[in-house]
């Protein structure tokens, strides 16, 4: 039965939740700044001190680029990441406010910052502290989107609002046979057909390994052929980069909107900034900017040499000429941007970027939103403001939107628009993909039954695939699903000093031993992945696994990825049976469904077994004959040598 659609007050409710989340993000950084020393903050990647400018340059749009390095060339422990928003301030003085910038390149020995305006003199001279700060642009644009959708009361905006609320049924055109989908399975073909026929919105529900990307590529290719330029978007830069790759593989002309610092290095050549840099108009604009900066330098020298009327007049004249040159340069850049945007089949950008230039003034016949179940509803509404029709793709049985405020999450901000639309419209707006091409059938059975009503089926090409298929002759005990029970072994969870996360040293040792055994059996490092729900456990295993070339990370970082063998450390082991956020079963769904042929899960049945899902996992392993006790596990006995 469909849920009762919310009323117009739903939008004001969303705005209140956004305000709660914004405050939570600001408070988190403020608490860390107050609680931690400068050294502790640097170790967590929240700050870098004792920096000084070593180089200056100019980027697209007249951005000022400043490279900073630590005095004496000393590296720092945890560098900033490209795309981070930071504030620079003098080491020994307070400046109100500090100067905000964007990290272009981050490293252990230097960091390059992009300033939208000429940075103050303290950035160019003296020692600096650079602090990571909350980026409120996302909140402001999401809030504006909610307000704009709520204000629609008649015509197309009014209908859009009512469909989003669930008060009007979505419309569909007569279906036309799409091109190039003969190789797709029946559900994939139906998803493409219905997505292209939707006049308002449609949801492609893609459980793990079911070919959601294949469907999106087919929708994009057909939509461009029918309607012209379309929009592809998602909440994260990684998801947008994935859409970009899909469109390129489909032979479409694509422009990636967004700061190059936030784009995968292998795709930077497709960004608007880089394509503009290669445009003839940009060559002339660059020379004009250089001339303008030279004039600004001349004006600064005139003021510094004295306070005569003649020098002030010269400075004013130089400033005026510089401004005119900059205006001319920016005009040329705008023309280059226009040429590139108009010549594209697809524009790719994050949802946040839809609220700013150049996308805020553009409209599209269709928008594809990938990983829509990981985006908050306010952010997703930005796509509805830019496109006549919207296709949302995702899986609400995997990771939800990340929300810091527990109050906001509890009141609905952690429920994606994708999930809410399914609740109010049901299967009228959904096509579920049911055939998966990743997992061995034994691996698939438990997630299928627990999360997808038993509807998934394994394609014949993967159903019987095992480690022995990948490595003929391998004798390692590695069935598709292996649960290693640590009950009574004394592998207890602990909280590392200075952390709020958890680790389990015993589990870490046995996971490393299993990884080494898989390498010895013949798997390559890239074919193995280690996943854990807890950041501290990933940090503990990292130094042991990274020299082997094996990636280790949290569950949240692995959605959308896969490996032949996946090793999962559950971590929780305590007398009270506390599971923490392991009770959010979507995380375990992600962890278990990354593996193709072998999922090795280590956990304490005495702690996990009180929860029905984990009890079912253990019972499934017992039924398959793939349950093992750590007391009888040879690798557990050998693990200590790798501690």
């Amino acid at each position: 039965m469909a849920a009762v659609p919310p009323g117009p007050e739903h939008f004001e409710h969303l705005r209140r939740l956004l305000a709660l989340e914004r405050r939570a993000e600001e408070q988190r950084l403020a608490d860390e700044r107050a609680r931690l020393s400068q050294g502790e903050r640097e170790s967590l990647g929240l700050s870098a001190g004792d920096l000084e400018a070593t180089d200056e340059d100019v980027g697209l749009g007249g951005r000022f680029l400043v490279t900073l390095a630590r005095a004496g060339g000393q590296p720092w422990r945890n560098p900033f990441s490209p795309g981070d928003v930071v504030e620079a301030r003098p080491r020994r003085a307070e400046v109100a406010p500090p100067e905000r910038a964007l990290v272009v390149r981050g490293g252990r020995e230097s960091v390059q910052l992009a300033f939208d305006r000429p940075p103050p003199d303290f950035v160019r001279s003296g020692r600096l502290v650079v602090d990571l700060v909350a980026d409120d642009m996302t909140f402001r644009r999401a809030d504006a989107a909610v307000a704009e959708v709520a204000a629609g009361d008649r015509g197309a905006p009014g209908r859009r609002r009512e469909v989003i609320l669930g008060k009007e049924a979505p419309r569909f055109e007569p279906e036309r046979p799409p091109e190039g989908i003969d190789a797709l399975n029946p559900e994939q073909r139906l998803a493409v057909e219905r997505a292209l026929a939707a006049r308002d919105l449609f949801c492609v529900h893609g459980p793990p390994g079911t070919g959601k990307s294949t469907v999106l590529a087919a929708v994009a290719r057909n939509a461009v052929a029918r309607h012209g330029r379309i929009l592809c978007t998602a909440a994260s830069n990684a998801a947008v980069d994935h859409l970009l790759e899909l469109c390129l593989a489909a032979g479409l002309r694509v422009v990636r909107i967004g700061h190059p610092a936030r784009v995968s290095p292998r795709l930077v050549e497709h960004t608007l900034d880089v394509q503009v840099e290669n445009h003839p108009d940009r060559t002339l604009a660059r020379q004009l900017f250089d001339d303008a900066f030279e004039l600004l330098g001349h004006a600064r020298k005139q003021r510094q040499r004295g306070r005569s009327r003649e020098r002030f007049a010269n400075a004013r004249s130089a400033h005026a000429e510089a401004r005119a040159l900059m205006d001319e340069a920016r005009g040329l850049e705008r023309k280059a941007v226009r040429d590139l945007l108009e010549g594209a089949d697809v524009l790719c950008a994050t949802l946040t970027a839809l609220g700013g230039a150049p996308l805020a003034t553009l409209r599209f016949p269709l928008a594809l939103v990938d990983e829509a179940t990981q985006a908050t509803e306010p952010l997703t509404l930005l796509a509805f403001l830019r496109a006549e029709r919207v296709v949302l793709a995702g899986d609400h049985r995997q990771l939800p939107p990340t929300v810091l405020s527990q109050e906001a999450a509890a009141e609905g901000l952690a429920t994606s628009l994708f999930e809410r639309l399914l609740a109010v419209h049901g299967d009228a707006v959904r096509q579920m993909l049911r055939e998966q091409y990743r997992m061995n059938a034994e691996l698939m059975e438990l997630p299928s039954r627990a999360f997808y009503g038993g509807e998934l089926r394994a394609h014949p090409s993967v159903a019987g695939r095992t480690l022995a298929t990948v490595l003929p002759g391998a004798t390692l005990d590695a069935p598709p699903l292996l649960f290693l029970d640590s009950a009574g072994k004394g592998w207890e969870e602990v909280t590392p000093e200075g952390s709020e996360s958890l680790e389990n040293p015993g589990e870490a040792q046995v996971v490393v031993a299993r990884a080494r055994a898989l390498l010895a059996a013949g798997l390559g490092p890239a074919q193995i992945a280690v996943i854990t729900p807890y950041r501290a456990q990933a940090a503990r295993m990292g130094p042991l696994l990274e020299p082997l070339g094996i990636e280790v990370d949290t569950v949240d970082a692995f959605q959308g990825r896969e490996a032949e063998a996946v090793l999962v450390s559950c971590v929780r082991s305590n007398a009270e049976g506390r599971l923490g956020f392991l009770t959010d079963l979507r995380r375990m769904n992600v962890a278990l469904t990354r593996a193709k042929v072998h999922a090795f899960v280590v956990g304490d049945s005495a702690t996990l077994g009180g929860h029905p899902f984990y009890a079912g996992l253990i019972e499934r392993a017992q039924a398959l004959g793939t349950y093992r006790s750590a007391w009888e596990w040879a690798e557990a006995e050998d693990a200590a040598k790798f501690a």
Side-chain angles (χ1 to χ4, degrees):
M1 180 181 294
V4 177
E9 68 280 357
H10 172 70
F11 298 112
E12 281 306 310
H13 177 66
L14 286 179
R15 297 185 72 183
R16 185 178 70 82
L17 299 185
L18 271 177
L20 288 173
E21 179 67 2
R22 183 177 186 175
R23 284 198 294 273
E25 170 70 8
E26 292 170 345
Q27 189 62 49
R28 179 180 70 87
L29 287 173
D31 288 347
E32 288 171 341
R33 182 174 294 185
R35 176 170 54 88
L36 303 174
S37 68
Q38 177 65 22
E40 289 171 330
R41 297 183 67 245
E42 289 194 18
S43 70
L44 294 172
L46 302 173
S47 183
D50 207 25
L51 305 181
E52 56 187 5
T54 60
D55 190 28
E56 293 185 40
D57 200 355
V58 60
L60 183 63
R63 293 189 187 105
F64 293 79
L65 306 180
V66 179
T67 300
L68 304 174
R70 180 158 284 165
Q74 294 297 312
W76 56 90
R77 191 184 310 175
N78 202 338
F80 297 112
S81 299
D84 283 346
V85 180
V86 296
E87 286 181 342
R89 56 185 171 86
R91 184 181 63 171
R92 298 188 182 278
E94 288 298 325
V95 174
E99 196 68 16
R100 185 163 289 204
L102 190 72
V103 174
V104 178
R105 289 197 302 270
R108 296 184 186 277
E109 297 180 352
S110 67
V111 59
Q112 187 179 59
L113 305 183
F115 297 85
D116 289 332
R117 59 183 181 180
D121 289 341
F122 74 77
V123 171
R124 294 188 172 95
S125 60
R127 303 291 175 83
L128 302 173
V129 174
V130 175
D131 294 314
L132 186 69
V133 297
D135 181 9
D136 64 353
M137 179 67 73
T138 296
F139 294 107
R140 288 190 279 113
R141 290 180 176 175
D143 182 71
V146 176
E148 186 174 346
V149 171
D153 59 357
R154 57 173 61 92
R159 173 168 176 80
R160 176 178 57 214
R161 186 188 71 169
E162 296 304 288
V163 172
I164 288 171
L165 286 173
K167 294 183 176 297
E168 286 195 24
R171 302 165 297 173
F172 291 84
E173 298 171 345
E175 293 182 10
R176 294 161 48 192
E179 299 289 333
I181 64 168
D182 292 344
L184 275 57
N185 68 41
E187 289 108 350
Q188 290 173 336
R189 287 198 297 270
L190 193 54
V192 174
E193 291 166 359
R194 296 187 69 194
L196 291 168
R199 293 181 60 188
D200 301 297
L201 59 89
F202 190 69
C203 297
V204 178
H205 180 194
T210 54
K212 172 170 62 72
S213 296
T214 301
V215 169
L216 292 182
V219 172
R221 189 171 55 249
N222 279 274
V224 168
R226 294 183 185 185
H227 306 296
R229 185 180 62 186
I230 67 168
L231 174 67
C232 285
T233 183
S236 72
N237 281 288
V240 175
D241 286 348
H242 178 61
L243 285 169
L244 170 59
E245 291 179 302
L246 291 180
C247 292
L248 290 172
L252 301 173
R253 294 168 298 172
V254 191
V255 173
R256 172 71 156 92
I257 310 296
H259 199 295
R262 289 175 164 151
V263 178
S264 171
R266 69 181 184 279
L267 299 172
V268 165
E269 64 182 286
H270 301 287
T271 60
L272 179 62
D273 285 38
V274 170
Q275 292 189 52
V276 168
E277 282 291 344
N278 297 324
H279 194 282
D281 287 338
R282 168 58 179 157
T283 303
L284 179 55
R286 191 184 300 114
Q287 182 59 55
L288 293 174
F289 276 125
D290 289 343
D291 293 345
F293 292 138
E294 188 174 333
L295 285 167
L296 289 174
H298 173 71
R300 188 163 56 248
K301 290 176 182 176
Q302 289 293 313
R303 289 196 302 270
Q304 291 171 347
R305 288 173 179 167
R307 303 179 61 84
S308 72
R309 181 177 300 173
E310 182 181 359
R311 289 195 176 97
F312 274 117
N314 287 339
R316 281 197 300 271
S317 175
H319 263 289
E321 189 175 351
R323 283 196 299 271
L325 289 174
M326 284 188 166
D327 287 343
E328 185 179 353
R330 290 184 177 118
L332 287 168
E333 286 188 344
R334 284 193 294 271
K335 179 177 177 297
V337 167
R338 219 167 28 246
D339 290 347
L340 289 165
L341 297 183
E342 290 174 356
D345 294 322
V346 182
L347 301 186
C348 291
T350 62
L351 288 163
T352 299
L354 305 189
L359 293 169
T361 58
L362 300 180
R363 296 295 180 270
F364 301 85
L366 181 139
L368 290 180
V369 185
D370 197 11
E371 300 296 357
T373 49
Q374 290 187 270
T376 62
E377 179 169 342
L379 261 186
T380 309
L381 291 177
L382 279 159
F384 285 83
L385 296 173
R386 300 290 169 264
E388 178 184 344
R389 54 191 82 189
V390 177
V391 175
L392 305 169
D395 179 15
H396 54 297
R397 301 302 185 190
Q398 296 187 63
L399 294 176
T402 299
V403 177
L404 288 177
S405 167
Q406 294 185 0
E407 181 180 355
E411 293 192 33
L413 193 60
T415 300
S416 67
L417 179 58
F418 182 105
E419 186 172 0
R420 193 176 63 74
L421 289 172
L422 293 190
V424 296
H425 290 299
D427 285 344
V429 297
R430 178 185 79 145
Q431 177 59 51
M432 179 178 170
L433 309 179
R434 293 178 173 82
E435 188 163 58
Q436 63 86 20
Y437 299 81
R438 175 185 299 162
M439 294 171 281
N440 172 284
E442 288 185 4
L443 278 176
M444 179 198 71
E445 195 275 340
L446 177 64
S448 176
R449 178 164 39 85
F451 301 105
Y452 304 106
E455 294 188 61
L456 298 188
R457 61 183 185 274
H459 187 268
S461 64
V462 299
R465 195 167 174 268
T466 65
L467 188 68
T469 308
V470 180
L471 301 173
T475 59
L476 184 68
D477 180 17
L481 173 65
L482 193 156
F483 182 84
L484 181 65
D485 188 358
S486 66
K489 194 70 175 172
W491 297 350
E492 300 292 322
E493 65 187 58
V494 294
T495 303
E497 185 176 354
S499 173
E500 296 180 356
S501 185
L502 294 172
E503 65 180 21
N504 188 312
E507 285 192 11
Q509 291 172 23
V510 80
V511 166
V512 172
R514 164 93 323 193
R516 289 177 178 273
L518 288 166
L519 288 174
L523 279 185
Q527 295 176 297
I528 305 168
V530 175
I531 305 178
T532 176
Y534 290 91
R535 187 174 290 108
Q537 183 76 336
R540 184 178 187 90
M541 293 187 288
L544 299 170
L545 292 167
E546 287 165 6
L548 304 176
I550 295 174
E551 187 174 8
V552 54
D553 215 327
T554 60
V555 176
D556 299 55
F558 269 97
Q559 180 155 327
R561 297 159 65 188
E562 61 187 22
E564 296 289 352
V566 171
L567 318 183
V568 182
S569 172
C570 295
V571 176
R572 299 312 297 253
S573 178
N574 54 77
E576 296 78 17
R578 297 188 306 270
L579 295 183
F581 58 59
L582 282 188
T583 55
D584 184 347
L585 300 180
R586 291 171 293 191
R587 277 191 167 82
M588 192 52 61
N589 184 30
V590 172
L592 292 176
T593 55
R594 300 309 94 197
K596 294 181 179 181
V597 299
H598 177 54
F600 175 84
V601 184
V602 55
D604 180 354
S605 65
T607 300
L608 301 176
H611 190 286
F613 173 81
Y614 295 100
L617 169 63
I618 296 165
E619 290 167 5
R620 173 66 178 163
Q622 290 171 333
L624 292 170
T626 59
Y627 167 93
R628 308 284 187 267
S629 169
W631 289 96
E632 304 166 351
W633 185 247
E635 289 175 32
E637 296 177 5
D638 296 338
K641 70 178 70 171
F642 303 120

